[in-house]
Amino acid sequence: MMLLEIAGALAVVLAACGVGRALLRFARVRASRGEAAFYSAAAGLGVLSLVMFAVGLAGGLYRYYVWGLIVVTIALFARDVLWCVRSFIRLAGRMARRGNVFEAALLAAVVFSLALAFTAALAPPTETDALTLHLLAPREYTTHHRMLHLDDNWDSAMAMGPVSYTHLT
């Protein structure tokens, strides 16, 4: 089950990269290739969060509908998704090949931080915020297939977006 969730998170990030890259091309944002790849992922996650919010308001939080939307988004923006993946690979390869000790140290720090964050994400949540805001509210939304008001959790309106994808795997 854990592999399915990891694959789902990767699919969401790929869809975000595709949407974000198309948005940045439309807005004619100028940046280096590596920066544009990161900007694409960030902009795409913002767009997908708003789409997920709209789907939740419309009562469309059904597993196959949302994941179908992600797959269709990846297919529609396949060229942009491939561009982002190639850009990330080229950036990492270029940083490793240059022989610049500082850039290699930065790359190692980023990879170590990501590995540490990934490992920490696998631990069970224990804090109140993690349990109520990030787990309870999205679970209730996906159980009822829409956003709803939770009387005992006033922060629950913030729990839309990428957090809800995990409850639909």
Side-chain angles (χ1 to χ4, degrees), residues 19-20 23 42-52:
V19 170
L23 181 66
L45 284 173
V47 169
L48 287 183
S49 291
L50 292 174
V51 168
M52 190 68 164

Side-chain angles (χ1 to χ4, degrees), residues 1-16 45 48 52 63 66-71 74 118 161-169:
M1 191 62 157
M2 184 68 73
L3 290 177
L4 183 61
E5 292 172 350
I6 292 170
L10 181 61
V12 170
V13 171
L14 290 175
L45 284 173
L48 287 183
M52 190 68 164
R63 177 174 302 180
V66 171
W67 286 112
L69 189 63
I70 293 296
V71 170
I74 291 172
F118 180 74
V163 175
S164 293
Y165 289 113
T166 61
H167 292 279
L168 292 170
T169 54

Side-chain angles (χ1 to χ4, degrees), residues 71-149:
V71 170
V72 167
T73 302
I74 291 172
L76 286 176
F77 297 101
R79 186 181 74 178
D80 295 314
V81 168
L82 289 175
W83 183 91
C84 284
V85 169
R86 277 188 245 131
S87 295
F88 286 127
I89 292 171
R90 283 183 187 172
L91 180 63
R94 190 173 63 227
M95 288 179 74
R97 272 192 310 256
R98 275 193 188 161
N100 186 334
V101 176
F102 180 69
E103 287 184 0
L106 285 177
L107 180 62
V110 168
V111 169
F112 178 74
S113 296
L114 288 174
L116 192 61
F118 180 74
T119 304
L122 296 177
T126 57
E127 296 180 12
T128 304
D129 177 64
L131 291 171
T132 60
L133 180 62
H134 297 288
L135 293 177
L136 176 75
R139 186 191 70 199
E140 291 299 314
Y141 295 162
T142 55
T143 300
H144 294 90
H145 306 293
R146 64 181 181 88
M147 282 188 69
L148 54 112
H149 176 68

